[in-house]
């Protein structure tokens, strides 16, 4: 800064008030200029960091928004991750995956791997799982016997006839040593793959298996949990169900799913991991007492998806 111009010599004594005010204004101006420069410099070099800390909003598509565990989850996301989670409920299972594909939502959580694999193959899509929630065991009921070993040869057992549940029901019966499937079976097996059997398998609409059991037209029935609840069947009375930790149950782990381009998104991965939070798990266990929690890694889930998709393609040939 250049030197200030020389001023005429003033008599000694009190300095003029105007000169003092002018000096104060100059000092204030310099301080303000320095502060503004520092702020601008910090903003230019630290903008990315500030952006990372900024609150985010993520929309998750679900099918059970009204259940209390989601309130706990949403609160935990805000407190622990600084993420505002918006839940979009779907009553039709055919809608959440297309909504995810079209970017109407960021994540969905309503399906197991087998359902996701079937969707990807039939829709030529590539949605990916990034976190596990739970396995909902598929139970076998009977009004005649209390142990699967007590079924007589040729006893009639009803199973759901839709592609997704039929294969799983057959795997349950195989695990119970009531039949055997070609090559050990897979998530797309059908009754045509039965190579030997102790029981006579009857395929019915999933909504009718409980009714057939209660009316006595079959000695046993595999009943989906929702239909069992409607029919007044207590899952504690099931005589057998698939082991959620077994290899055959792997395709039925329910998952958080995202678009393939987002499978490494840290915020989304953190949200999937948040489901394992103790507070969330505690409420989830009350909402779904029969569910068996799963904490499979994203890599493991994606590997399983690839396997099931391969089975789906082979089944379609």
């Amino acid at each position: 800064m250049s030197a200030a111009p020389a001023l005429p010599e003033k008599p000694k004594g009190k300095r003029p008030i105007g000169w003092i005010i002018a000096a104060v204004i100059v000092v204030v101006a310099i301080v303000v200029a320095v502060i503004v420069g520092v702020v601008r410099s910090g903003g230019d070099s630290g903008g990315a960091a500030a952006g990372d800390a900024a609150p985010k909003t993520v929309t998750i598509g679900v099918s059970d928004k009204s259940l209390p565990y989601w309130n706990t989850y949403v609160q935990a996301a805000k407190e622990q991750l600084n993420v505002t989670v918006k839940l979009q409920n779907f009553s039709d299972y055919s809608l959440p995956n297309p909504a995810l594909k079209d970017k109407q939502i960021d994540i969905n959580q309503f399906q197991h791997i087998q359902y996701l694999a079937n969707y990807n193959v039939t829709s030529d899509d590539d949605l990916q799982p990034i976190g596990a929630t739970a396995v909902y065991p598929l139970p076998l009921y009977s009004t005649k016997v209390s142990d699967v070993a007590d079924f007589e040869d040729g006893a009639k057992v009803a199973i759901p006839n839709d592609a997704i549940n039929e294969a799983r029901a057959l795997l349950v019966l195989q695990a119970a040593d009531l039949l055997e499937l070609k090559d050990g079976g897979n998530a797309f097996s059908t009754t045509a793959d039965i190579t030997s059997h102790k029981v006579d398998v009857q395929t019915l609409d999933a909504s009718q298996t409980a009714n057939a059991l209660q009316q006595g037209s079959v000695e046993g029935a595999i009943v989906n949990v929702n239909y069992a609840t409607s029919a007044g069947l207590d899952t504690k009375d099931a005589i057998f169900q698939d082991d959620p930790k077994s290899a055959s149950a792997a395709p039925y782990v329910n998952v958080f799913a995202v678009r393939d381009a987002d499978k490494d998104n840290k915020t989304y991965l953190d949200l999937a991991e948040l489901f394992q939070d103790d507070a969330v798990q505690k409420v989830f266990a009350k909402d779904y007492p029969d569910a068996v929690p799963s904490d499979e890694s994203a890599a493991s889930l994606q590997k399983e998806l690839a396997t099931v998709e391969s089975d789906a393609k082979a089944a379609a040939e």
Side-chain angles (χ1 to χ4, degrees), residues 46 86 152 161 168 215 268 273 280 299 302 306 309:
K86 291 185 177 180
E152 295 182 358
N161 64 1
R168 187 180 183 188
Q215 290 189 352
Y268 297 171
E273 178 64 26
V280 176
Q302 289 161 19
E309 286 180 348

Side-chain angles (χ1 to χ4, degrees), residues 5-234:
L7 297 176
E9 188 174 353
K10 298 269 186 180
K12 294 183 179 180
K14 292 184 178 180
R15 293 179 177 176
I17 296 299
W19 184 91
I20 294 174
I21 293 175
V24 170
I25 292 174
V26 170
V27 171
V28 171
I30 293 172
V31 171
V32 171
V34 170
I35 293 174
V36 170
V38 170
V39 170
R40 286 180 177 175
S41 175
D44 291 341
S45 62
D52 289 343
K56 300 180 178 68
T57 299
V58 176
T59 302
I60 303 178
V62 302
S63 62
D64 56 355
K65 177 182 176 180
S66 63
L67 291 183
Y69 80 94
W70 279 121
N71 293 332
T72 304
Y73 177 87
V74 169
Q75 183 177 352
K78 188 64 177 177
E79 293 176 352
Q80 298 182 34
L81 304 177
N82 197 23
V83 174
T84 297
V85 170
K86 291 185 177 180
L87 300 174
Q88 183 171 334
N89 202 70
F90 294 89
S91 57
D92 185 339
Y93 280 3
S94 68
L95 299 178
N97 282 334
L100 180 58
K101 177 182 181 180
D102 295 338
K103 300 184 179 181
Q104 297 172 21
I105 57 178
D106 302 304
I107 307 172
N108 69 36
Q109 196 290 108
F110 78 101
Q111 65 194 323
H112 49 51
I113 288 178
Q114 201 267 1
Y115 186 97
L116 176 57
N118 191 61
Y119 165 79
N120 277 348
V121 170
T122 58
S123 302
D124 192 26
D125 207 344
D126 58 355
L127 303 183
Q128 294 293 316
I130 59 168
T133 59
V135 177
Y136 301 86
L138 189 60
L140 169 63
Y141 296 91
S142 176
T143 56
K144 304 293 185 181
V145 302
S146 58
D147 190 298
V148 291
D150 295 333
F151 277 118
E152 295 182 358
D153 290 349
K156 294 180 179 180
V157 175
I159 68 171
N161 64 1
D162 59 282
I164 291 177
N165 287 304
E166 179 177 334
R168 187 180 183 188
L170 290 171
L171 290 170
V172 170
L173 296 181
Q174 178 172 252
D177 295 325
L178 296 175
L179 57 77
E180 292 184 359
L181 297 168
K182 180 181 178 181
D183 298 327
N186 59 50
F188 294 89
S189 294
T190 69
T191 53
D193 296 311
I194 297 175
T195 57
S196 65
H197 58 91
K198 178 181 180 179
V199 296
D200 181 14
V201 176
Q202 307 282 308
T203 57
L204 300 173
D205 185 275
S207 64
Q208 297 302 311
T209 58
N211 185 52
L213 177 68
Q214 292 171 328
Q215 290 189 352
S217 59
V218 295
E219 286 75 40
I222 288 194
V223 187
N224 296 75
V225 173
N226 55 328
Y227 292 124
T229 301
S230 299
L233 297 173
D234 191 332

Side-chain angles (χ1 to χ4, degrees), residues 204-271:
L204 300 173
D205 185 275
S207 64
Q208 297 302 311
T209 58
N211 185 52
L213 177 68
Q214 292 171 328
Q215 290 189 352
S217 59
V218 295
E219 286 75 40
I222 288 194
V223 187
N224 296 75
V225 173
N226 55 328
Y227 292 124
T229 301
S230 299
L233 297 173
D234 191 332
T235 53
K236 294 179 181 178
D237 295 330
I239 63 172
F240 193 83
Q241 63 186 25
D242 47 1
D243 178 2
K245 298 299 183 181
S246 69
S248 63
Y252 306 106
V253 175
N254 281 254
V255 298
F256 285 89
V258 298
R259 294 176 291 276
D260 182 69
D262 294 329
K263 66 184 179 183
D264 296 319
N265 182 296
K266 187 177 186 305
T267 297
Y268 297 171
L269 288 168
D270 287 345
L271 284 170

